[in-house]
Amino acid sequence: MMKKIIIPFLAIFMLISCSDDQKSSNADIISMEITGFSDQELILTATEIIAEEAKVYIFLDNDLTNHTFPLNITTDIKFSSGAKAASIIDGELTFSSADEVKKITVTAEDGSVKDWYIFIIHKQIQNHGFENWYTGVGMNGKSYTEIGNSAIESLWATANMGTSMYTVYCTQPKYETTNTLAEIKTGQTGLTAENSTIPITAGTLFTGRFNIAGAIANPTDPKKATDFGIPFRHKPTAMKVKYKYQAGEQYIQATLNNPTNIFVGFTVTNIEGEDKCSIYAILEKRNGDNVIEIARAKLDSGTTENILTEVTIPFNYTSSENPTHITVVFASSIDGDLWRGAVGSTLLVDDLQLVY
């Protein structure tokens, strides 16, 4: 009699165990359809899911700079089979500002979770006034100040993480009474292992992200440390920005003693001329490895007056294609990637605006 009770129980237990083993661990957003806005004047142009980054972009054909928030967006989101997101009620997302990024935690059928991030892309770039900064932790384990609300939410990046191992941060906020600017400086970096220095380290601020793996793998090629560009669908005619620039005292050219090894030092030569800053933007259409440049706006400038000056830099269009990405770059030394510049060169920028 006992055997008749135990055997069916074991069979049921094994069936349940097998069923649990087969539950999916996928916690993805498969699609997102926008079904409505709390503001009827908003115009949806597209949505884009970047699965490998767990990000969703909602593109609007509007300028939300002076928009009244909160903004409610009603969605029809489809998740992986068996997955769900408890934080979404009736498919509604509420944004408190155009700069806010919504985090959605998706729970898979087997209970594992994955965080997804929802961005609004409109006619201006998130945090274009450079007001928002957060506290990050560098490779030296110490805290430093970085652009944006958080590392994953910011559409802007700097090279601070790469130089953090030497406690050097070339791009920092400059706080005024009621305003915050981005201060971008050219410095030099200590290499404690060889008791020497990298004699020129240009400060940068750019749309995209700093590629720490690329920086470590290619220490002699600063360009490999940057993944330029963010998703963007608009065609501005120009960009405005307020800036001030002071070139450093001594213009130098540093040359690697060994082109493949940064740790054996540089030969430094004083050269004629004055350092310049570089401000530019590029619109591109990207399709895998195929990249078409559509337009470029560029300003190279030496020392300016000691006040912020607003400039309008026109885009020169060379293609009629529609863009998928925009790259905006501010650099304190125009040839910093070639180890050329002046320590102390300082670029202040504020209030970037795309003109249509």
Side-chain angles (χ1 to χ4, degrees):
M1 182 71 176
M2 182 65 69
K3 290 183 179 180
K4 291 182 180 179
I5 296 174
I6 293 175
I7 291 173
F9 176 79
L10 289 175
I12 293 171
F13 177 78
M14 290 175 67
L15 181 63
I16 293 173
S17 297
C18 291
S19 176
D20 285 342
D21 289 342
Q22 293 174 359
K23 286 184 178 180
S24 173
S25 61
N26 293 331
D28 293 325
I29 293 177
I30 303 302
S31 68
M32 178 183 290
E33 179 184 354
I34 307 302
T35 58
F37 298 104
S38 57
D39 183 345
Q40 299 303 312
E41 294 184 357
L42 297 185
I43 301 171
L44 175 71
T45 56
T47 59
E48 182 179 359
I49 297 173
I50 310 295
E52 60 270 23
E53 298 178 10
K55 294 177 180 179
V56 180
Y57 297 94
I58 300 172
F59 297 92
L60 299 179
D61 192 25
N62 302 85
D63 188 334
L64 300 184
T65 303
N66 298 313
H67 185 79
T68 300
F69 285 85
L71 168 63
N72 297 320
I73 301 178
T74 307
T75 68
D76 181 7
I77 305 178
K78 290 183 171 54
F79 301 102
S80 304
S81 178
K84 58 186 177 180
S87 61
I88 302 179
I89 301 174
D90 297 327
E92 188 168 276
L93 301 172
T94 300
F95 290 82
S96 60
S97 73
D99 289 349
E100 183 182 9
V101 178
K102 300 297 294 185
K103 183 175 81 169
I104 298 175
T105 299
V106 180
T107 303
E109 190 178 31
D110 68 353
S112 57
V113 298
K114 182 177 181 179
D115 289 334
W116 283 76
Y117 296 86
I118 317 299
F119 295 75
I120 295 177
I121 304 297
H122 63 119
K123 287 191 172 183
Q124 301 299 330
I125 299 173
Q126 179 201 72
N127 197 20
H128 56 92
F130 312 119
E131 295 292 326
N132 302 327
W133 299 75
Y134 69 95
T135 300
V137 178
M139 289 191 288
N140 58 0
K142 298 179 181 179
S143 298
Y144 72 98
T145 305
E146 188 58 279
I147 186 79
N149 292 320
S150 73
I152 197 166
E153 296 177 18
S154 181
L155 298 180
W156 293 95
T158 74
N160 286 338
M161 177 59 76
T163 58
S164 65
M165 67 176 69
Y166 313 113
T167 319
V168 172
Y169 315 102
C170 293
T171 302
Q172 289 290 283
K174 183 176 178 61
Y175 299 110
E176 296 183 339
T177 305
T178 59
N179 188 30
T180 305
L181 300 82
E183 183 179 68
I184 307 161
K185 300 182 71 172
T186 298
Q188 56 185 359
T189 304
L191 291 175
T192 55
E194 297 291 333
N195 194 28
S196 61
T197 62
I198 297 177
I200 194 79
T201 305
T204 60
L205 173 63
F206 59 94
T207 55
R209 61 184 180 179
F210 182 77
N211 187 332
I212 186 64
I216 293 172
N218 304 276
T220 62
D221 187 355
K223 291 182 179 179
K224 295 292 179 63
T226 50
D227 292 335
F228 288 123
I230 56 172
F232 195 75
R233 299 294 179 91
H234 306 289
K235 300 177 83 170
T237 58
M239 69 174 181
K240 289 183 180 179
V241 67
K242 296 175 183 175
Y243 85 108
K244 179 174 67 174
Y245 184 68
Q246 176 63 59
E249 291 185 5
Q250 183 58 61
Y251 198 32
I252 65 171
Q253 173 66 65
T255 304
L256 282 163
N257 293 330
N258 182 337
T260 63
N261 188 347
I262 198 171
F263 298 104
V264 297
F266 292 77
T267 297
V268 177
T269 305
N270 294 338
I271 57 178
E272 296 294 325
E274 182 183 64
D275 201 3
K276 291 183 178 181
C277 67
S278 182
I279 300 172
Y280 67 90
I282 301 173
L283 293 169
E284 294 175 324
K285 180 180 179 179
R286 300 182 183 179
N287 184 11
D289 294 332
N290 184 32
V291 179
I292 299 172
E293 181 173 317
I294 296 170
R296 182 182 291 253
K298 184 172 178 58
L299 172 69
D300 302 331
S301 177
T303 297
T304 67
E305 297 292 331
N306 195 32
I307 57 172
L308 281 176
T309 301
E310 185 176 76
V311 291
T312 299
I313 311 169
F315 277 94
N316 176 32
Y317 279 80
T318 55
S319 171
S320 60
E321 296 279 0
N322 292 318
T324 62
H325 288 76
I326 188 171
T327 296
V328 179
V329 178
F330 301 97
S332 56
S333 291
I334 187 173
D335 293 321
D337 59 321
L338 302 176
W339 315 108
R340 185 185 305 134
V343 174
S345 291
T346 303
L347 171 63
L348 287 170
V349 293
D350 195 18
D351 296 336
L352 172 69
Q353 179 185 358
L354 297 175
V355 182
Y356 294 86

